[in-house]
Amino acid sequence: MGNTIIGLFLPALFLSWFLIPHINNWAVKRGEYDHPGGRKVHSSPIPRLGGVAIVLPLLVLIPLCADGNCQLRGLLSGLIIIASVGLADDLGGLSAKKKFFGQILAVSAALYESSLTVAHLGDLGSGDVLIHFSVGLPLCVFAMVGIINSINLIDGLDGLAGGMAAIAFAAFGFLGLQAGNNTVAVIAFCSLGSILGFLRYNLFPARIFMGDTGSLSIGFLLAFLAMSLTQSPGVSLSPIAPLALLSLPVFDTLWVMSSRMLQGRSPFSPDKTHLHHILLSYGLSHSQVVRVMLGYTLVQAVFVLVFFRHPASGGFLWSWLLSLLFGYFVLRSGLGWSALLAKQSVFR
């Protein structure tokens, strides 16, 4: 398995790295730019088709391991659909309804082929909570579409979504190895290679953006890994483990969308209430915000890898989930620490 992982990680890394300059030139010739304005924080047009270089290595390399593996075939089916939806939006623009329908279609295709569904919620305090198929399937679609949108919405600063995804993919890969889930390990480390190759050109100041092709595909991959890792037959990992890894984008999406609906607005209406916008408003620089949010994500990843190797009690899981919520609101409220951080050279 180690040789297989290295044999996928390194080619994905170098293929993504190699493709970015060519895709960047192609995007420039076509005039495919992400223009400044509105909620966007960049001040000049940036090519936005970098996600193509993230997806292509996966579509080339993962089929090499997919023979007879229904989960890998399911992943590829959904990935092709979701990447096509993202590319169509990057090139010509899609309505929110069409993007949402495309997400549901991609998730449904992946679940149909892989036979994944939410079968249990783990031990929430009174034993393992089992879920009937009639409830588990729509719940699985809802959860995966939610993760896809959370990654799409957090993609607002150079290197932020890519950096968070890289940390999550690495953690998922090691969790897959710990659990003996080779499918998760293969997908995670191959995806990690692709992301790292892209991040070389996406860190501040970015030379290219991933666009919806990248953010939707990354969200889909993370959602699929979360389901495979916690819902495959014979697994014992609590679903709270992937929730902890993805807590920042998930909590931020839930908070922002709920706030909009309480104000009588559409949950998809644009504004500057996401966490990265709030941190920028406190006076932190672009790079400082990214480092703070990636630092938070890295802490969660380390904690999950250390403490979630064995089934945990419901009380422990609820306590940890509450601590994640508290951490998110501490970041969001500022509590006076942001001005101090802005003055520290270590964050500059």
Side-chain angles (χ1 to χ4, degrees), residues 117-128:
T117 184
V118 175
H120 72 98
L121 297 180
D123 183 0
L124 300 181
S126 58
D128 198 12

Side-chain angles (χ1 to χ4, degrees), residues 1 3-9 57-76 182-187 190:
M1 176 51 58
N3 291 336
T4 301
I5 289 173
I6 295 173
L8 290 172
F9 170 80
L58 304 180
L59 295 179
V60 171
L61 296 170
I62 290 179
L64 300 178
C65 307
D67 185 31
N69 189 316
C70 65
Q71 288 198 9
L72 287 178
R73 292 199 307 270
L75 172 97
L76 289 169
N182 294 338
T183 298
V184 167
V186 164
I187 297 170
C190 191

Side-chain angles (χ1 to χ4, degrees), residues 260-298:
R260 289 169 182 169
M261 289 189 290
L262 289 173
Q263 295 169 7
R265 296 188 293 137
S266 165
F268 300 101
S269 61
D271 56 28
K272 287 191 173 184
T273 58
H274 285 286
L275 179 60
H276 54 276
H277 292 129
I278 299 298
L279 294 179
L280 286 171
S281 73
Y282 288 148
L284 274 71
S285 70
H286 188 124
S287 296
Q288 288 170 342
V289 172
V290 172
R291 291 173 188 176
V292 167
M293 295 180 70
L294 293 187
Y296 176 96
T297 304
L298 182 60

Side-chain angles (χ1 to χ4, degrees), residues 175-253:
L175 285 171
L177 291 175
Q178 290 175 3
N181 190 325
N182 294 338
T183 298
V184 167
V186 164
I187 297 170
F189 285 113
C190 191
S191 301
L192 175 61
S194 249
I195 285 289
L196 292 179
F198 163 77
L199 277 174
R200 180 178 184 272
Y201 300 91
N202 184 242
L203 295 176
F204 182 81
R207 284 174 273 177
I208 193 168
F209 292 158
M210 67 172 65
D212 274 11
T213 308
S215 61
L216 294 180
S217 298
I218 288 172
F220 169 80
L221 289 165
L222 291 171
F224 191 91
L225 288 173
M227 292 303 164
S228 180
L229 194 58
T230 61
Q231 304 300 325
S232 296
V235 301
S236 59
L237 188 69
S238 168
I240 291 183
L243 176 59
L245 283 171
L246 303 174
S247 60
L248 208 53
V250 169
F251 291 164
D252 195 50
T253 298

Side-chain angles (χ1 to χ4, degrees), residues 60-217:
V60 171
L61 296 170
I62 290 179
L64 300 178
C65 307
D67 185 31
N69 189 316
C70 65
Q71 288 198 9
L72 287 178
R73 292 199 307 270
L75 172 97
L76 289 169
S77 300
L79 183 59
I80 290 171
I81 295 172
I82 199 72
S84 299
V85 171
L87 184 59
D89 188 54
D90 288 335
L91 293 176
L94 292 177
S95 67
K97 289 183 179 180
K98 289 181 179 178
K99 285 173 63 176
F100 189 65
F101 175 77
Q103 294 168 20
I104 294 176
L105 181 63
V107 168
S108 299
L111 295 180
Y112 175 79
E113 184 69 30
S114 64
S115 300
L116 279 175
T117 184
V118 175
H120 72 98
L121 297 180
D123 183 0
L124 300 181
S126 58
D128 198 12
V129 179
L130 303 179
I131 303 294
H132 191 271
F133 178 80
S134 61
V135 176
L137 184 59
L139 180 60
C140 192
V141 173
F142 175 80
M144 289 184 67
V145 170
I147 292 173
I148 291 170
N149 280 286
S150 70
I151 299 299
N152 181 239
L153 293 172
I154 204 93
D155 182 28
L157 297 178
D158 298 352
L160 179 56
M164 293 178 70
I167 294 170
F169 281 133
F172 276 135
F174 285 114
L175 285 171
L177 291 175
Q178 290 175 3
N181 190 325
N182 294 338
T183 298
V184 167
V186 164
I187 297 170
F189 285 113
C190 191
S191 301
L192 175 61
S194 249
I195 285 289
L196 292 179
F198 163 77
L199 277 174
R200 180 178 184 272
Y201 300 91
N202 184 242
L203 295 176
F204 182 81
R207 284 174 273 177
I208 193 168
F209 292 158
M210 67 172 65
D212 274 11
T213 308
S215 61
L216 294 180
S217 298

